[in-house]
Amino acid sequence: MVLAGALAAVALWLLWAVLSSGLSARFAAEGEPERALFWQSDNSDALVQLARRDAEQGQLDAARRSALAALRADPLEYRALDVLSDIARRSGDPGQADTLMRLAAARMFHDSGLQARLVASMLEQGDIEGAIYRTDVLARTYPELQPDLFKLLAALAASPQIRPLVEARLALDPPWRSAFLASLVQQQPDTSTITALINGLQTSNAPPTEAEKLNYIAQLVRAAKYEAAHDFWLGTLDGETRALVERSLLVNGDFKQKNDGSPFFWQIGKLPNVDIRIMRKNFRDEDNALRVEFMGGRVNFQHVIQTLLLPPGSYELQGQVSMTRLKVERGLVWRLYCLDPQARRMLGQTSGFSGSSPWTGFKFEFVVPDDKCAAQRLDLVLNAKTNLDREISGRIEFSNMRIDRVEPAADDAPQDAAPQDAAPQDAGSKDAGPQEAAPQP
């Protein structure tokens, strides 16, 4: 009888413990700490909730008691340390607040909100190096936070005094580095910050990758810093390629070199129903050709591009072309225009290519003016005025293209800017339709 009574008492106690613990956990999950503590007075979750609420209401002593009670109930309760840190900050003790927050962050590394608050606290305390380290850790652990973290790093890197610390972290080649540099290209029209970072990384143990270099070159071009972009690009080339490039006004006009994706080589985009490739002219010929095959339909074709840096003067572009049943209303043309964003004007274009023909020569002359034309862009485009003009099918090939300086005739006058309807195709114009993955300068 005694044993049976004892077992019954133990069973009732266990039932009560389970019931009270379950009810306490339920009320805590529903954000009702008082009711949770009624059923279980040492529920650390409820105690933290109560402490945080009291701290936000300015009842710091009550908040401190609840937070300490939570730590007694669960010594690993990092949220209680976070609340005590908040209490110290509200009490005017930033040093203690920072110490407590670091302890909390060390106990729970996977609380992104806590880690972010620690970064902010470190910045307030002047611990820039520690803040950058924590930012690195957050960027690795929480990729979804990278956009906001990159904005913070960009702001820090903009300071010449702090930039070396950011550069030192980038030199460790964290997995988010390329994404950060790409975001810097997009966020900041001013190129000084990324230029300093790229130059610093050049001499590090983890120099910029090819993709990072191309992003940087593209940003310089977008910022109209064409010579800086070109000089940096030349520095990325091997000696043999650089020698070939420096001898040519049109780079890789014979299509024999491997394109590196930079604006100063051929930029070749992708477009549905269009096949663009570089290949041998024929099995008997060692020359290469650029072949573009259109499968039919309307396309907004502007997907073979090269950026040039021709000094003022008179020039001739020439090459060879072959066409096979190329059906297009107004023809396909090579078009050259000034890149200056304030004075974008056409310098000239070939006659429209269409129909069928064996390999034959083509050329056109143009003049690069003295003013606002430091860089130019050569595009292979449809000479379209309306959507109907974008209907195209058939194949066209180009080979042995080059640009040469020519001496203008004595009575030659500089060419006028092209009329408005001959301007480069605008992806946002009414006629152009949506732009489809065209490479940008």
Side-chain angles (χ1 to χ4, degrees), residues 2-25:
V2 174
L3 179 59
L7 289 174
V10 170
L12 286 172
W13 180 83
L14 288 173
L15 180 61
W16 169 256
V18 170
L19 179 63
S20 61
S21 176
L23 287 171
S24 181

Side-chain angles (χ1 to χ4, degrees), residues 233 251-252 257-260 262-267 305-306:
W233 171 67
V251 175
N252 199 21
Q257 297 167 263
K258 183 179 179 181
N259 286 326
D260 65 358
S262 81
F264 304 107
F265 253 104
W266 293 114
Q267 287 186 291
I305 298 169
Q306 186 173 143

Side-chain angles (χ1 to χ4, degrees), residues 334-337 345-350 364-366 415 418:
W334 286 106
R335 179 175 290 160
L336 186 73
Y337 59 93
R345 48 184 163 168
M346 193 175 79
L347 301 177
Q349 68 179 34
T350 60
F364 77 93
E365 292 188 4
F366 60 93
Q415 289 178 263

Side-chain angles (χ1 to χ4, degrees), residues 87-283:
I87 293 170
R89 182 180 60 81
R90 293 172 185 269
S91 300
D93 190 348
Q96 181 73 357
D98 185 66
T99 299
L100 288 165
M101 187 174 289
R102 288 173 187 260
L103 286 172
R107 293 191 183 189
M108 182 46 70
F109 200 75
H110 296 291
D111 187 324
S112 61
L114 174 60
Q115 298 294 333
R117 289 196 298 276
L118 178 56
V119 169
S121 176
M122 287 176 162
L123 291 173
E124 288 178 2
Q125 296 298 311
D127 184 5
I128 307 299
E129 189 170 4
I132 292 173
Y133 166 75
R134 287 283 169 179
T135 302
D136 176 7
V137 172
L138 280 171
R140 293 170 187 259
T141 311
Y142 300 99
E144 67 274 12
L145 297 181
Q146 286 182 359
D148 291 330
L149 295 172
F150 290 168
K151 291 176 184 177
L152 171 62
L153 285 173
L156 294 174
S159 166
Q161 292 75 29
I162 299 175
R163 189 180 298 137
L165 298 177
V166 178
E167 182 184 310
R169 181 57 49 180
L170 296 178
L172 299 176
D173 197 16
W176 47 264
R177 187 179 83 173
S178 291
F180 166 65
L181 292 174
S183 74
L184 205 58
V185 165
Q186 296 165 1
Q187 290 174 26
Q188 298 190 354
D190 178 19
T191 61
S192 59
T193 298
I194 191 171
T195 295
L197 290 175
I198 290 289
N199 289 339
L201 290 173
Q202 290 276 63
T203 57
S204 74
N205 292 327
T209 64
E210 293 305 311
E212 290 168 351
K213 292 176 184 177
L214 288 176
N215 274 333
Y216 173 55
I217 292 169
Q219 189 200 22
L220 290 175
V221 169
R222 281 194 293 270
K225 297 186 176 181
Y226 306 116
E227 289 190 14
H230 192 261
D231 289 346
F232 181 85
W233 171 67
L234 286 176
T236 67
L237 304 177
D238 62 73
E240 182 180 354
T241 302
R242 179 166 181 162
L244 286 172
V245 165
E246 290 179 332
R247 290 199 300 267
S248 306
L249 297 177
L250 179 68
V251 175
N252 199 21
D254 58 6
F255 304 103
K256 289 186 176 180
Q257 297 167 263
K258 183 179 179 181
N259 286 326
D260 65 358
S262 81
F264 304 107
F265 253 104
W266 293 114
Q267 287 186 291
I268 298 177
K270 295 181 179 180
L271 189 64
N273 297 322
V274 180
D275 181 57
I276 311 173
R277 64 180 66 192
I278 293 173
M279 55 190 299
R280 285 282 184 90
K281 286 176 68 174
N282 55 60
F283 68 91

